[in-house]
Amino acid sequence: MSRRVGILISGGGSNMVALVKSMTGDHPARPVLVLSNDPEAGGLAKAEALGVPTAVVDHRPFGKDRAGFEAELDRVLREAGVEIVCLAGFMRILTPGFTGKWAGRMLNIHPSLLPLYKGLHTYARALEAGDAEHGCTVHEVTAELDGGPILGQARIAIDKSDTPESLAARLLPMEHALYPAVLRRYAADDRRPVFLSAGTSALS
Ligand code: GAR
């Protein structure tokens, strides 16, 4: 039986597309829902074009009622029979009430080498710090923002000429390699971390 994956997005959804395209053949999971908190998210049309059912739970009508927003998210995910949740550029902070319900069944991708640079503006922060490398991390989601157990990392070298934009553009293809590789293992109950670096495609 394939594991049923729901992917949460807020924007363009390029990681979502990479995940959806990876779940074919002998992959232990299948995408059953792409859900956005923003009805304008560009990823929704991409999911539809890929034949994946979509849903929108707009956070704005809920105002400050995070519990109400998350209860609706939870309801829609359960109605679709989702077993594993992948956050893929989902830009709402989730409260412990929600992360607790999905503990051990929810992943996130974050554009930094965690535990460095939790939160926003990770590329600029890595450049300001004079770091030699940057990267992305897939981790299990817990109540601590960007703080759960690390399931995989991909790294790239930082050039002297890099800007936040150039770094983000070079990192994105690494995200697209890392997240599917981690999900494939995770859906098979294999928690060994995946490590990738630019120029190599081998899994370790
Ligand atoms: C990705 O770079 C992802 O790592 C980042 O948002 C982008 C979404 O792009 N996520 C976060 O910053 C979460 N804190 P996408 O919509 O094209 O996948």
Side-chain angles (χ1 to χ4, degrees), residues 9-17 36 38 40-47 88-89 176:
I9 64 169
S10 298
S14 70
N15 276 287
M16 174 276 295
V17 169
S36 174
D38 180 353
E40 304 296 320
L44 288 168
K46 294 177 193 165
H176 299 163

Side-chain angles (χ1 to χ4, degrees), residues 9-17 46 88-91 108-112 119-120 122-123 136-137 145-146 168 171-172 175-176:
I9 64 169
S10 298
S14 70
N15 276 287
M16 174 276 295
V17 169
K46 294 177 193 165
F90 185 69
M91 302 310 274
N108 180 43
I109 187 156
H110 181 72
S112 80
L120 298 175
T122 61
Y123 314 99
C136 54
T137 303
L145 178 69
D146 299 327
L171 186 60
L172 201 55
E175 297 191 32
H176 299 163

Side-chain angles (χ1 to χ4, degrees), residues 1 10-11 16 20 27 30 35 44 52 71 86 92 94 112 116 130 142 150 163-164 167 169 171 184 186 189 204:
M1 278 289 283
S10 298
M16 174 276 295
V20 167
H27 196 291
R30 289 292 182 270
L35 193 163
L44 288 168
V52 182
C86 290
R92 305 300 299 170
L94 296 166
S112 80
L116 290 175
T142 62
I150 289 173
T163 62
L167 211 45
L171 186 60
R184 178 180 272 272
Y186 196 80
D189 294 322
S204 62

Side-chain angles (χ1 to χ4, degrees), residues 149-194:
I150 289 173
L151 296 165
Q153 287 188 318
R155 48 189 72 226
I156 58 173
I158 296 181
D159 294 332
K160 282 201 177 63
S161 60
D162 265 321
T163 62
E165 293 72 28
S166 70
L167 211 45
R170 281 217 320 290
L171 186 60
L172 201 55
M174 298 300 286
E175 297 191 32
H176 299 163
L178 180 69
Y179 210 171
V182 171
L183 177 62
R184 178 180 272 272
R185 282 191 179 176
Y186 196 80
D189 294 322
D190 179 352
R191 300 291 190 265
R192 284 176 301 144
V194 177

Side-chain angles (χ1 to χ4, degrees), residues 25 34 50 55 60 67 77 81-82 122 145 151 174 186 196 199-201:
V34 169
L50 288 163
R60 287 168 300 189
L77 291 170
V82 168
T122 61
L145 178 69
L151 296 165
M174 298 300 286
Y186 196 80
L196 304 177
T200 66
S201 56

